[in-house]
Amino acid sequence: MDMLMFQLQKKSVIPLYKQLYQEIKRAIIEGKILVDTKLPSKRKLADYLQISQTTVELAYAQLVAEGFIESRPRKGFYAQPVEELAYLDIPHDEPLVEEPISYKIDFNSSSIDTHSFPFLTWRKLTRDILDDSNHELLLSGHPQGDDVLRQEIARYLYQSRGVVCEADQIVIGSGTEQLLPLLIRLLHKELVYGYENPGYALTHSIFSHHDRQAIPIELDSDGLNVSQLEASIVDVAYVTPSHQFPSGSVLSATKRAQLLNWAAARPERYIIEDDYDSEFRYSSRPIPALQSMDLSDRVIYISTFSKSLMPSLRLAYMVLPKRLLRAYQQTFRHYSSSVPRHDQHMVAKFMKEGHFARHLNRMRKLYQKKIKQLSASLTLYAPAVVVSGEQAGMHIVLTIQTLLSEQELVERAKQVGIRVTGLQSYDVHKRADTPPKIVLGFGGLSEEDIHSGITELMACWDIY
């Protein structure tokens, strides 16, 4: 082929090399350039199209990389058979992507204070770990996670949560959504799961996606309705006893004992304790984990570093009862830990050198100031607004005395650039509370933003 007759639009926002690449690719797919046809040299094509030789070189390089043409030494470029690739250019409708909404005030319950992260310390640890003396970290580690991190987690859990376990019982994974499916596969397929309602939407979907029967169990003012659980056919109960999400309630001592007795009554029963934000408690010392009271080896403890360090770290862990440990190691002995070893060693070093404890103390004081600011700002609007769940964690629940529905409250806030979440969105039955309830997260906001956000929020809700 002496020349390629293409019309390139030099004023287009699409780069010339990309236009040329697309035209040649389309011609090969449509058969206008036959297989094994020699393409013009880069110099000749550049002169003919009045473009730079570099432009042609970039286009040819992309075509070679994708297998549309082949470079033969001392001969040039030749078109290749691409029948199997022809589907690439079949016209199709572009999926509609909803533009993300930009909020000026975001009361998101999953946000943390990113400005207070100890970057200098983390950077130093990164340099220490990413060193050629640690070349063995390039290889796969222990399937349950590296021992150095599991030892630190076991030590931390005993000191802060009363959890008694050995490092061998800990499994490290990239988030609760990765560990829960492993746990579900470990337990018998016929077991029935029970979960708090309202509660984590993610948990509900994990059970259904893995074809497990799951039943919502309602809440009382002091946590899970244990009487309803006892009357159900549930075998495995998923709970957040230290700070129920999203209601903020704390499972009472009486119900903790009842729940443990329920699990001990039958050999197939278990409790999955999700201790997602227990580090942050403001009105008293942290409540010991349910696992620390377990004498029957029935509690599976799960937690994460998402709130205490950062969500993007993607590092969570579960503590398996010894009665499940051997079965886990046999079932998943060929698995590799889904968390990079460098990240595991950085977190282990961060904990071992005392940085983690100091960081938690700083963040606890910081979030306590924020919750005080939030409570003070909301006090001005009592009794139209009642606050609950403020004793722990990084979110609260508002009960609003208003004629507006929960959905109308959320929509009004959205219209003025404020994100809030209705409690109804966490209910599998989508029942509307009367009066409506709104979940407010405060972790990612400054004290100034909290005050101004509450002022604007109440104004848009006509509460003065």
Side-chain angles (χ1 to χ4, degrees):
M1 176 177 286
D2 293 330
M3 206 50 60
L4 297 175
M5 304 296 292
F6 297 136
Q7 295 295 325
L8 303 183
Q9 305 299 321
K10 295 187 178 181
K11 293 184 178 180
S12 172
V13 294
I14 301 175
L16 288 174
Y17 85 88
K18 193 169 185 178
Q19 293 183 50
L20 181 59
Y21 149 78
Q22 290 173 340
E23 291 290 348
I24 297 175
K25 182 175 76 168
R26 186 176 294 110
I28 294 174
I29 289 173
E30 294 174 355
K32 295 176 182 177
I33 298 178
L34 300 177
V35 174
D36 219 32
T37 298
K38 182 180 180 180
L39 274 63
S41 70
K42 290 179 282 187
R43 182 183 59 79
K44 284 185 178 180
L45 186 56
D47 290 343
Y48 180 77
L49 295 177
Q50 295 185 339
I51 56 178
S52 72
Q53 191 169 324
T54 302
T55 299
V56 179
E57 190 173 346
L58 288 171
Y60 277 12
Q62 186 63 35
L63 291 164
V64 170
E66 295 183 11
F68 287 98
I69 64 175
E70 178 186 53
S71 175
R72 298 176 184 173
R74 300 180 185 177
K75 292 184 178 181
F77 296 90
Y78 291 81
Q80 294 298 293
V82 292
E83 290 82 3
E84 294 181 1
L85 298 175
Y87 71 89
L88 292 174
D89 270 22
I90 295 175
H92 62 279
D93 293 330
E94 290 292 331
L96 293 175
V97 179
E98 188 176 337
E99 287 292 324
I101 300 172
S102 179
Y103 293 96
K104 62 182 180 182
I105 302 290
D106 191 350
F107 286 105
N108 186 349
S109 62
S110 63
S111 294
I112 65 168
D113 190 315
T114 56
H115 297 287
S116 301
F117 185 78
F119 285 102
L120 290 176
T121 301
W122 197 259
R123 189 179 302 125
K124 179 183 180 301
L125 294 179
T126 302
R127 288 196 300 267
D128 292 344
I129 297 298
L130 294 178
D131 185 84
D132 55 11
S133 63
N134 292 324
H135 56 83
E136 75 280 357
L137 297 184
L138 301 178
L139 303 174
S140 296
H142 194 283
Q144 290 177 216
D146 278 20
D147 184 68
V148 62
L149 178 56
R150 288 186 286 125
Q151 291 283 359
E152 289 301 323
I153 290 174
R155 188 178 298 112
Y156 164 72
L157 289 179
Y158 179 71
Q159 293 173 351
S160 66
R161 307 295 296 122
V163 171
V164 179
C165 69
E166 299 172 2
D168 288 347
Q169 294 174 252
I170 297 174
V171 179
I172 295 170
S174 52
T176 304
E177 61 269 36
Q178 189 259 333
L179 291 175
L180 266 182
L182 295 182
L183 183 58
I184 289 170
R185 290 173 57 188
L186 183 64
L187 300 175
H188 197 280
K189 191 173 183 179
E190 301 303 318
L191 296 182
V192 179
Y193 293 79
Y195 56 85
E196 300 165 325
N197 187 48
Y200 276 122
L202 171 66
T203 310
H204 311 164
S205 61
I206 286 177
F207 294 139
S208 61
H209 289 167
H210 290 81
D211 298 321
R212 298 301 194 267
Q213 184 180 356
I215 298 172
I217 304 297
E218 303 304 315
L219 301 176
D220 294 327
S221 60
D222 58 347
L224 189 77
N225 186 327
V226 180
S227 297
Q228 183 182 346
L229 176 69
E230 292 171 337
S232 71
I233 59 171
V234 168
D235 302 299
V236 182
Y238 174 91
V239 294
T240 52
S242 296
H243 188 227
Q244 200 278 329
F245 186 87
S247 73
S249 63
V250 177
L251 195 67
S252 66
T254 300
K255 284 193 172 182
R256 286 168 179 257
Q258 291 174 343
L259 188 57
L260 290 169
N261 288 336
W262 167 85
R266 292 186 183 177
E268 72 276 10
R269 286 181 176 171
Y270 287 97
I271 299 167
I272 302 174
E273 177 183 13
D274 191 340
D275 206 22
Y276 68 99
D277 70 353
S278 60
E279 294 89 355
F280 304 109
R281 188 164 186 84
Y282 314 115
S283 58
S284 64
R285 290 182 59 81
I287 298 172
L290 196 64
Q291 195 267 9
S292 68
M293 303 168 59
D294 179 24
L295 301 178
S296 303
D297 210 26
R298 300 303 178 89
V299 176
I300 303 160
Y301 180 92
I302 291 182
S303 191
T304 172
F305 288 97
S306 292
K307 297 284 190 182
S308 57
L309 284 178
M310 50 183 144
S312 63
L313 186 61
R314 307 309 305 136
L315 203 160
Y317 52 89
M318 63 179 174
V319 179
L320 292 174
K322 290 184 177 180
R323 63 208 306 261
L324 286 178
L325 186 57
R326 179 174 294 181
Y328 179 90
Q329 291 171 341
Q330 290 176 345
T331 304
F332 300 110
R333 64 180 179 272
H334 299 302
Y335 277 48
S336 296
S337 176
S338 57
V339 180
R341 294 186 70 195
H342 289 93
D343 289 346
Q344 294 185 50
H345 281 252
M346 277 193 286
V347 174
K349 194 172 179 66
F350 191 74
M351 298 176 78
K352 186 173 184 177
E353 295 183 357
H355 303 301
F356 185 56
R358 288 190 289 272
H359 174 65
L360 285 181
N361 286 334
R362 285 194 302 269
M363 298 311 293
R364 193 178 294 115
K365 292 175 183 177
L366 179 64
Y367 290 136
Q368 188 168 26
K369 287 183 180 178
K370 293 186 179 188
I371 190 70
K372 284 182 178 179
Q373 176 63 69
L374 184 58
S375 299
S377 299
L378 289 166
T379 300
L380 302 173
Y381 302 93
V385 178
V386 177
V387 178
S388 59
E390 72 277 16
Q391 67 271 31
M394 292 152 67
H395 75 274
I396 62 170
V397 177
L398 305 183
T399 301
I400 314 294
Q401 300 296 333
T402 178
L403 296 177
L404 298 174
S405 68
E406 181 182 296
Q407 187 174 355
E408 288 171 329
L409 292 174
V410 173
E411 187 58 35
R412 281 198 180 192
K414 180 179 177 182
Q415 289 173 1
V416 297
I418 300 176
R419 171 152 75 170
V420 298
T421 308
L423 193 70
Q424 179 183 350
S425 63
Y426 299 103
D427 189 326
V428 293
H429 305 302
K430 301 302 177 188
R431 295 166 299 191
D433 281 314
T434 304
K437 291 181 171 62
I438 298 294
V439 179
L440 287 188
F442 57 86
L445 296 174
S446 66
E447 292 180 59
E448 294 77 13
D449 284 341
I450 288 172
H451 180 70
S452 61
I454 292 300
T455 302
E456 291 189 51
L457 191 61
M458 296 301 146
C460 79
W461 288 347
D462 296 328
I463 299 174
Y464 301 100

